Amino acid sequence: MSDLNKFKRYTVTSALPYANGPLHIGHLAGAYIPADIFVRHLRLRKKDVVWVCGSDEHGAAITIKAKKEGITPQQIIDKYHQQIKESFEQFGIAFDIYHRTSSPVHHDLSQEFFLNLYEKGEFIEKESEQYYDAEFDQFLADRYITGTCPNCGNEGAYGDQCEKCGTSLSPTDLINPKSTLSGKAPVLRLTKHWYLPLDKYQPWLEEWLLEGKKNKWKTNVYGQCSSWLKAGLQPRSMTRDLDWGIDVPLEEAKGKKLYVWLDAPIGYISATKQWAVDNNKDWQKYWKRQENEEDNSCLIHFIGKDNIVFHCITFPSILHAHGEYILPENVPANEFLNLEGDKLSTSRNHAVWLHEYLEEFPGKQDELRYVLTSILPETSDSEFTWRDYQARVNNELVAILGNFVNRVMILMHKYYEGKVEGPAELKDEVLYGQIGKAYDSIQESIENYKFRQALSDLMDVARLGNKYLTDKEPWKTFKTDPAATREVLQNCLHIIAHLGVLAQPFLPSASKKIFSMLNLSGDAFSYDEKISFEDGHQLNTPELLFEKVEDAVLEKQLEKLLNKAQEVVAAVEVSPAKENVNYDQFSAMDIRVGTILAAEKVAKTKKLLKLTIDTGLDTRTVVSGIAEYFEPEAIVGKQVSILVNLEPREIKGIVSKGMILMSENPDGKLIFVTPGESAANGSVIR
């Protein structure tokens, strides 16, 4: 088994969903379904576990959403906190507590953390020039600034991150920055902030993470952390000039707030504190370092790809600097889940929203759990499609698991009126050994965060049952050898019972149905709990575990996605015209027709292509962030419009000399701006 056996208690966290919108299936696949499987598994092993989560309710994005909707930030967080909480509950994800970062206990603890580091002299205090919107008379948080990403050319990058290529940015990295408030270019003004010296902790991080977690953490997580550390860490501001959030607890910092990525992870601890108060527990046993190291809790963070750096580098550095807290044992982050051939997008409404699924598919929580677990993006991006959903439900849940249970239960009622002759034990040694191996394999896979493999092993037990039943053909031996027939069917009942036990982390509703049909009482059955049937045990009436997904249901969901896309296109507002430029300014831009001679992907990036372009003037290299939309070989020979006198810029070690012109559809799709007919390379575009 895994290293988890050495721990006495476990602290499990799931990423705090941001309280400015509902949950979609990408959130489930990223953090919540894996955590739910893991926690249910630990509890079946009778482990002491606390599982915490809550709404992340601070930061600039909340205020931006509030401004757009014409309401207050408090109204935004109240609305979405309740909706998210109810969606989790209806879906069967049962945190020990679902808390809020707007709570007083969280504000107090976050300020306590800040003061602890401040009094130890851990922060660097410095004045720096930051962007300021003169029209709105305020400094701009990172998310209030957009511009062109220097890494991939995305014109809608934020001041803290480009959401197209995932690069972490500072506002001053952006090309042509503008304020989201006024739409105008911001100016730089001096302001004072408190920085966490991540560079100071780099040697410790290299020892703790690069050496200590090698071959223990998932390759995608370890690789991203390694890249960050290799590039060299820089101090990160832990305060912001904002009007929404937790006050910086210093007299000289009036009007400033704690950086949301300082306070959000502390939300795990404040949630545990509140849970401890509510349940008469000691929260420190789950978070503080104990006198004897073997008494420390095992801390596991379940998150999505975009939160890796904060949970693996920033938050551990904060905990290390504080000195009293345990560090994460593992951070099994998943990659991104795509939808129907495209990225999930909340802005384009290209998503399967959890609250809508629960309304449209009542009682079908396990079906979605099964499909998403089957395709979890554990080390690379994966994709959800409605056709795959239909196929997995019909061909696996219905045809394999549901079919086996239903056949056995019907035969037991047909031949024996549902009564067991006992005491009934599993009398086939081969079956007994194969099921035992399945228990070991499933437990090991779950504890190594290989949930897809664990689910596959569970279905193999159902396949084993189907094969055993088909091979033995009890319907043929009922009259000639009734004793053998009863033994075969009662062996099958034991397989069903074991399926019920093993399915608990994955398919909790189906598991309960199985126990109900078997007439076995109890909310949960631990792995080591012996299940037996006494003489005369009466089975309950059979019922279908799962129902087929019909084509009409499938088509309705596909049509719904299409309609959403069309609504977004119809509702899109044309960007306002930029400020006038004079003729001299326009004529200073030298735009030519060019032809792409060669194209190749830039190593270690997903978005960048290295283009070799014949401009008529010369042959030059241009780095462009279009790899998401075009295959390199498909664009060789294509004529493009290129700005040839753009100042050269180094991107990923490649000097890019120019920029190709693209138009962008409301759905984010890029299209080349090309001449209407073939033109000579070097032709001037006027």
Side-chain angles (χ1 to χ4, degrees):
M1 300 298 290
S2 72
D3 291 342
L4 297 183
N5 288 314
K6 65 184 181 182
F7 292 96
K8 297 177 180 177
R9 67 181 59 87
Y10 300 80
T11 305
V12 179
T13 76
S14 291
L16 305 185
Y18 206 48
N20 71 337
L23 293 169
H24 55 60
I25 58 172
H27 296 127
L28 293 178
Y32 306 114
I33 286 178
D36 190 62
I37 293 170
F38 185 78
V39 169
R40 288 175 185 270
H41 164 76
L42 289 181
R43 287 180 173 150
L44 292 172
R45 292 192 61 201
K46 301 178 181 178
K47 299 294 185 179
D48 179 5
V49 188
V50 61
W51 182 23
V52 298
C53 191
S55 294
D56 180 1
E57 300 180 336
H58 299 133
I62 297 288
T63 59
I64 292 172
K65 181 86 169 181
K67 287 179 185 293
K68 286 181 179 178
E69 297 193 10
I71 57 179
T72 66
Q74 188 66 49
Q75 289 173 303
I76 287 287
I77 64 174
D78 287 345
K79 171 185 175 181
Y80 288 111
H81 168 78
Q82 190 60 34
Q83 183 187 69
I84 292 169
K85 185 174 183 290
E86 289 175 357
S87 292
F88 277 136
E89 290 170 350
Q90 292 172 30
F91 196 65
I93 292 182
F95 305 110
D96 288 298
I97 183 171
Y98 188 73
H99 205 224
R100 307 183 66 164
T101 62
S102 58
S103 70
V105 66
H106 177 71
H107 278 237
D108 291 345
L109 186 62
S110 298
Q111 291 177 329
E112 180 185 313
F113 256 84
F114 181 89
L115 287 174
N116 178 282
L117 271 59
Y118 175 80
E119 290 166 359
K120 289 179 176 179
E122 292 291 330
F123 291 125
I124 299 171
E125 300 177 23
K126 64 177 180 178
E127 286 190 334
S128 62
E129 287 189 321
Q130 295 195 6
Y131 281 127
Y132 184 87
D133 189 317
E135 183 174 317
F136 277 73
D137 191 28
Q138 71 177 68
F139 282 99
L140 296 171
D142 298 345
R143 288 266 157 169
Y144 276 89
I145 308 162
T146 61
T148 301
C149 173
N151 183 50
C152 72
N154 168 32
E155 294 184 357
Y158 290 107
D160 62 346
Q161 188 177 43
C162 174
E163 294 192 343
K164 276 199 172 181
C165 68
T167 300
S168 180
L169 301 169
S170 294
T172 50
D173 294 333
L174 294 174
I175 302 168
N176 301 322
K178 67 178 181 180
S179 166
T180 61
L181 297 179
S182 65
K184 296 179 179 178
V187 296
L188 289 170
R189 286 194 182 180
L190 279 176
T191 184
K192 182 177 179 179
H193 283 291
W194 286 259
Y195 289 74
L196 186 69
L198 292 176
D199 51 334
K200 171 184 172 182
Y201 309 130
Q202 174 140 354
W204 169 77
L205 283 164
E206 289 175 349
E207 179 181 356
W208 171 73
L209 199 164
L210 292 187
E211 296 180 23
K213 303 303 179 183
K214 190 174 184 179
N215 299 322
K216 294 182 179 179
W217 283 13
K218 292 169 66 173
T219 54
N220 57 312
V221 177
Y222 186 87
Q224 189 178 132
C225 294
S226 180
S227 296
W228 271 79
L229 290 166
K230 184 177 179 180
L233 301 179
Q234 301 297 322
R236 188 80 186 236
S237 176
M238 291 291 108
T239 58
R240 288 291 188 269
D241 290 298
L242 273 176
D243 56 2
W244 179 254
I246 299 174
D247 292 331
V248 178
L250 299 175
E251 188 65 28
E252 59 185 303
K254 282 191 174 181
K256 298 183 187 294
K257 307 295 182 184
L258 296 181
Y259 179 36
V260 68
W261 271 112
L262 170 63
D263 94 80
I266 295 170
Y268 301 135
I269 309 174
S270 61
T272 310
K273 287 189 73 172
Q274 187 61 58
W275 165 81
V277 170
D278 297 341
N279 293 276
N280 194 28
K281 300 281 188 178
D282 181 1
W283 71 271
Q284 297 185 78
K285 288 184 178 180
Y286 297 90
W287 279 100
K288 291 287 187 77
R289 293 164 61 185
Q290 303 299 301
E291 184 176 347
N292 295 317
E293 187 176 343
E294 60 269 22
D295 292 331
N296 286 345
S297 185
C298 176
L299 174 60
I300 311 288
H301 294 307
F302 283 90
I303 59 168
K305 175 182 182 177
D306 49 342
N307 291 337
I308 288 175
V309 65
F310 300 107
H311 286 78
C312 298
I313 292 178
T314 307
F315 190 42
S317 295
I318 292 169
L319 295 174
H320 170 69
H322 189 289
E324 296 180 11
Y325 287 83
I326 58 173
L327 298 168
E329 182 71 15
N330 213 314
V331 185
N334 279 345
E335 299 290 290
F336 291 140
L337 182 74
N338 298 320
L339 172 63
E340 296 289 353
D342 198 359
K343 285 192 169 185
L344 277 162
S345 172
T346 56
S347 61
R348 292 187 285 117
N349 204 12
H350 183 66
V352 176
W353 302 105
L354 182 56
H355 67 285
E356 291 182 357
Y357 177 89
L358 291 167
E359 292 171 3
E360 296 169 15
F361 293 84
K364 306 295 185 187
Q365 289 90 334
D366 276 4
E367 284 83 342
L368 185 58
R369 287 177 66 100
Y370 179 83
V371 174
L372 291 178
T373 304
S374 300
I375 60 171
L376 284 177
E378 291 178 339
T379 55
S380 60
D381 292 356
S382 62
E383 181 177 14
F384 177 93
T385 70
W386 280 109
R387 296 191 189 282
D388 183 59
Y389 173 93
Q390 180 190 43
R392 289 181 186 274
V393 171
N394 293 355
N395 301 335
E396 297 172 22
L397 286 180
V398 173
I400 298 174
L401 177 56
N403 182 53
F404 171 63
V405 173
N406 192 55
R407 291 166 73 194
V408 173
M409 293 298 295
I410 286 176
L411 289 173
M412 281 296 301
H413 279 271
K414 179 180 179 180
Y415 295 155
Y416 309 112
E417 298 181 339
K419 288 186 178 180
V420 179
E421 183 181 275
E425 304 291 342
L426 182 56
K427 296 179 180 179
D428 188 298
E429 291 298 325
V430 175
L431 281 180
Y432 185 83
Q434 289 174 309
I435 292 172
K437 288 180 180 178
Y439 271 86
D440 292 341
S441 179
I442 289 170
Q443 292 183 56
E444 184 174 358
S445 291
I446 290 176
E447 293 182 12
N448 284 289
Y449 315 105
K450 297 178 180 179
F451 303 106
R452 293 171 65 162
Q453 181 60 53
L455 183 64
S456 178
D457 289 342
L458 167 67
M459 293 303 293
D460 282 345
V461 176
R463 291 184 178 93
L464 172 69
N466 273 311
K467 185 178 186 306
Y468 176 77
L469 184 64
T470 300
D471 289 346
K472 295 297 183 181
E473 298 181 316
W475 48 88
K476 289 185 177 180
T477 61
F478 175 62
K479 291 183 178 179
T480 59
D481 194 346
T485 300
R486 182 181 285 277
E487 181 177 312
V488 167
L489 290 177
Q490 293 190 165
N491 282 343
C492 287
L493 286 181
H494 277 276
I495 297 174
I496 292 173
H498 286 299
L499 281 168
V501 173
L502 291 170
Q504 288 173 109
F506 307 97
L507 308 169
S509 296
S511 176
K512 288 180 180 178
K513 278 187 181 180
I514 287 173
F515 294 140
S516 175
M517 283 190 278
L518 295 178
N519 195 17
L520 296 174
S521 60
D523 293 332
F525 292 85
S526 63
Y527 294 136
D528 59 2
E529 187 171 346
K530 185 176 181 180
I531 295 178
S532 61
F533 301 96
E534 299 299 324
D535 186 30
H537 181 86
Q538 179 65 52
L539 303 173
N540 287 327
T541 304
E543 59 177 310
L544 291 177
L545 283 181
F546 307 101
E547 297 175 340
K548 279 191 172 183
V549 178
E550 302 297 337
D551 289 343
V553 174
L554 179 79
E555 296 303 327
K556 182 179 179 181
Q557 292 302 319
L558 290 172
E559 183 181 359
K560 181 180 176 182
L561 279 175
L562 179 62
N563 290 339
K564 285 179 178 179
Q566 292 174 342
E567 288 172 5
V568 170
V569 172
V572 70
E573 297 182 6
V574 177
S575 300
K578 297 179 181 179
E579 292 184 3
N580 289 342
V581 297
N582 59 43
Y583 182 79
D584 289 339
Q585 289 173 309
F586 170 73
S587 61
M589 293 189 296
D590 189 354
I591 305 174
R592 306 280 183 129
V593 173
T595 299
I596 298 175
L597 303 178
E600 61 182 281
K601 291 187 176 181
V602 176
K604 297 183 179 180
T605 72
K606 291 185 178 180
K607 312 295 180 181
L608 300 182
L609 289 183
K610 177 185 175 183
L611 308 177
T612 303
I613 300 177
D614 179 358
T615 68
L617 304 171
D618 55 22
T619 299
R620 64 177 63 189
T621 297
V622 173
V623 178
S624 181
I626 62 173
E628 182 181 7
Y629 301 96
F630 304 99
E631 291 297 326
E633 59 273 12
I635 61 175
V636 173
K638 190 169 190 64
Q639 285 205 309
V640 297
S641 302
I642 176 173
L643 179 62
V644 295
N645 65 334
L646 183 68
E647 183 178 336
R649 186 180 185 91
E650 184 174 321
I651 303 174
K652 293 294 182 181
I654 304 169
V655 177
S656 180
K657 298 180 178 180
M659 178 181 290
I660 58 172
L661 305 187
M662 310 290 293
S663 65
E664 184 175 11
N665 280 351
D667 63 359
K669 183 179 180 180
L670 297 178
I671 303 169
F672 285 102
V673 176
T674 61
E677 58 185 69
S678 181
N681 291 334
S683 298
V684 177
I685 298 175
R686 303 183 186 278

